[in-house]
C-alpha cells in the first residue's frame, strides 16, 4: 500500500470507483489499439490491472463499444479482476460513454475516477494522488507542463502565442466527487456538448479543477509510435 493509500485509509476517504473508457474507434492507430500487445498482454489489460492493484479503488466499471461486452468479458476472465463489476456499452460520443459509466457505479462511491483505457502505464501512485486531491478539492486531473511553445492559429496563420508557463497537458484518471461529475456529464449529454475530456463538462457548469502532478510516462496510445514508446517505458520499469 502506498503512502497516499494509507493517508486516505486513515482519513476515512469515501469509497472510490473507477470508470475505464474503452469505447473509442482507434482510427488513428489503424486498428483496435486497446487489443494491441504491450508487454505480452493487451493494452487495455494494463489499465485494468493498475486499478485492480490500487488500494483506493473498490469497484471498476468498463465502458466499451456496443456489442463488445462478451468479448471483453472473455478477455478479462483469466486475470481474476475482482474489482471489475460491470461491462457496459458506451454511446456515440465521449460524453455519452462516460455518462453511461458514471451512472453504473455504486451509489456508495464518494469519488469517481475516469480513465482512458488507452493509458496503460498509469501507476498506483498517480491514481492515489488524483483520488486524494479530488477528495480535498472536489475535482482533480493529472497534468504536466507543456514544454513546447504553442501557437494559436486560424487557417494556417498564427494569431497569438499563449504564455507557456500557463499551459498544461492533461491526462487521466480524472477524479471527481460523484455528484459533481454525474451532474456535469448529464448536462453535457442534454446540451450536446462536444468534450474531449471529462473536466471540460465540470468547467462548463462552473466547477473548479485542481491539477494533480501527472507523469510523462502516463502516455496515451494513439499511434503505433506511441505503442513502441510504451514498450520501451515498460521494459525500463521491468529492468530489462
Amino acid at each position: 500500500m502506498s503512502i497516499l493509500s494509507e493517508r486516505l485509509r486513515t482519513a476515512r476517504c469515501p469509497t472510490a470507483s473507477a470508470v475505464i473508457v474503452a469505447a473509442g474507434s482507434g482510427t488513428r492507430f489503424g486498428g483496435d489499439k486497446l487489443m494491441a500487445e504491450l508487454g505480452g498482454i493487451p493494452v487495455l489489460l494494463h489499465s485494468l490491472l493498475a486499478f485492480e492493484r490500487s488500494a483506493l479503488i473498490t469497484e471498476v466499471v468498463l465502458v466499451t463499444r456496443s456489442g463488445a461486452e462478451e468479448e471483453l468479458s472473455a478477455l478479462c476472465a483469466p486475470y481474476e479482476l475482482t474489482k471489475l463489476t460491470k461491462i457496459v456499452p458506451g454511446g456515440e460520443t465521449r460524453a455519452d460513454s462516460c455518462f453511461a459509466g458514471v451512472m453504473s457505479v455504486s451509489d456508495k462511491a464518494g469519488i469517481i475516477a475516469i480513465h482512458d483505457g488507452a493509458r496503460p502505464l498509469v501507476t498506483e501512485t498517480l491514481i492515489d494522488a488524483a483520488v486524494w486531491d479530488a477528495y480535498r478539492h472536489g475535482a482533480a486531473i493529472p497534468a504536466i507542463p507543456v514544454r513546447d511553445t504553442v501557437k494559436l492559429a486560424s487557417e494556417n496563420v498564427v494569431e497569438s502565442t499563449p504564455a507557456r508557463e500557463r499551459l498544461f497537458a492533461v491526462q487521466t484518471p480524472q477524479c471527481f466527487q460523484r455528484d459533481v461529475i454525474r451532474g456535469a456529464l448529464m448536462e453535457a449529454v442534454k446540451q450536446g456538448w462536444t468534450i474531449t475530456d471529462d473536466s471540460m463538462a465540470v468547467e462548463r457548469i462552473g466547477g473548479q479543477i485542481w491539477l494533480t502532478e501527472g507523469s510523462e510516462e502516463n502516455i496515451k496510445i494513439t499511434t503505433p509510435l506511441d505503442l513502441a514508446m510504451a514498450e520501451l517505458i515498460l521494459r525500463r520499469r521491468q529492468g530489462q
Side-chain angles (χ1 to χ4, degrees):
M1 181 181 293
S2 70
I3 293 174
L4 274 170
S5 297
E6 179 63 19
R7 285 173 62 190
L8 282 164
R9 185 184 65 80
T10 56
R12 300 180 184 276
C13 176
T15 302
S17 295
V19 172
I20 297 183
V21 183
S25 62
T27 53
R28 283 178 289 177
F29 187 82
D32 192 345
K33 60 186 178 183
L34 296 174
M35 294 299 108
E37 186 176 299
L38 173 62
I41 64 174
V43 165
L44 178 59
L45 261 298
H46 285 277
S47 296
L48 288 165
L49 288 168
F51 284 85
E52 179 75 18
R53 291 189 295 266
S54 172
L56 305 184
I57 302 298
T58 61
E59 170 192 30
V60 174
V61 171
L62 177 60
V63 182
T64 184
R65 62 186 181 277
S66 182
E69 297 93 331
E70 289 188 10
E71 176 189 355
L72 288 187
S73 180
L75 175 73
C76 296
Y79 295 90
E80 299 182 354
L81 298 170
T82 61
K83 297 178 182 179
L84 179 60
T85 59
K86 297 176 184 176
I87 300 178
V88 300
E92 295 184 1
T93 68
R94 181 183 178 87
D96 291 330
S97 295
C98 291
F99 183 60
V102 301
M103 294 307 294
S104 298
V105 305
S106 168
D107 286 336
K108 295 180 181 179
I111 301 295
I112 297 178
I114 304 178
H115 185 65
D116 286 327
R119 289 188 187 269
L121 299 179
V122 66
T123 63
E124 180 188 342
T125 298
L126 183 53
I127 294 169
D128 290 351
V131 170
W132 174 251
D133 283 342
Y135 174 57
R136 293 191 302 169
H137 301 286
I141 60 176
I144 56 175
V146 171
R147 290 182 175 181
D148 297 328
T149 297
V150 176
K151 302 290 185 179
L152 294 178
S154 177
E155 296 183 356
N156 241 31
V157 176
V158 172
E159 295 181 339
S160 63
T161 305
R164 187 171 58 186
E165 61 271 17
R166 298 188 63 191
L167 297 177
F168 292 83
V170 301
Q171 304 174 341
T172 65
Q174 299 193 351
C175 300
F176 312 89
Q177 291 181 1
R178 183 193 64 221
D179 292 342
V180 170
I181 191 59
R182 281 185 171 178
L185 288 175
M186 181 181 293
E187 192 67 16
V189 170
K190 185 188 302 183
Q191 300 297 334
W193 294 340
T194 298
I195 60 172
T196 54
D197 79 335
D198 307 292
S199 66
M200 287 177 65
V202 176
E203 291 173 50
R204 288 199 177 188
I205 65 169
Q208 290 189 322
I209 313 294
W210 181 266
L211 293 185
T212 297
E213 183 178 356
S215 168
E216 292 185 353
E217 294 186 352
N218 186 26
I219 63 174
K220 184 176 181 180
I221 308 300
T222 303
T223 68
L225 178 59
D226 297 326
L227 185 63
M229 291 175 60
E231 191 73 49
L232 290 173
I233 293 169
L234 189 61
R235 289 180 181 177
R236 187 179 65 177
R237 287 182 181 179
Q238 296 171 343
Q240 297 178 8

